[in-house]
Amino acid sequence: MISIWDANVELKIDDRFHVIRSAREAVAFLKKYWPDNRSPSYATARKVCLDAANGVVPSAEARAAFEAAAKEAGILRQT
């Protein structure tokens, strides 16, 4: 079962906006679209999101890790 996050994470890369709604979407985004500046928070987000997608950790934990990595990478859309 896919667990949708309570709040979306909005990202902006090269004037394109992306909306991430779940740990599965986060994993796909981390693999395919993440910028080259991959920090330790990227690795943490990838692991936690994979674990959440597999039902091992709560989806809220995955969302928080993903948002923190996006903020550190400078791609979190500030509204």
Side-chain angles (χ1 to χ4, degrees):
M1 182 175 108
I2 296 176
S3 179
I4 302 298
W5 291 340
D6 291 338
N8 297 334
V9 177
E10 296 182 7
L11 310 173
K12 183 179 178 187
I13 300 176
D14 298 330
D15 294 326
R16 292 193 62 196
F17 294 99
H18 305 269
V19 178
I20 308 302
R21 297 176 293 261
S22 69
R24 288 191 191 278
E25 288 183 10
V27 169
F29 189 91
L30 286 160
K31 289 181 178 179
K32 189 170 183 180
Y33 297 110
W34 202 261
D36 290 336
N37 55 337
R38 294 181 177 172
S39 65
S41 64
Y42 164 86
T44 299
R46 187 167 171 172
K47 181 186 182 325
V48 174
C49 288
L50 278 168
D51 287 347
N54 291 320
V56 178
V57 300
S59 63
E61 188 176 329
R63 184 190 179 283
F66 184 76
E67 188 172 319
K71 185 174 184 178
E72 185 175 331
I75 60 172
L76 183 65
R77 182 174 180 217
Q78 303 295 330
T79 54

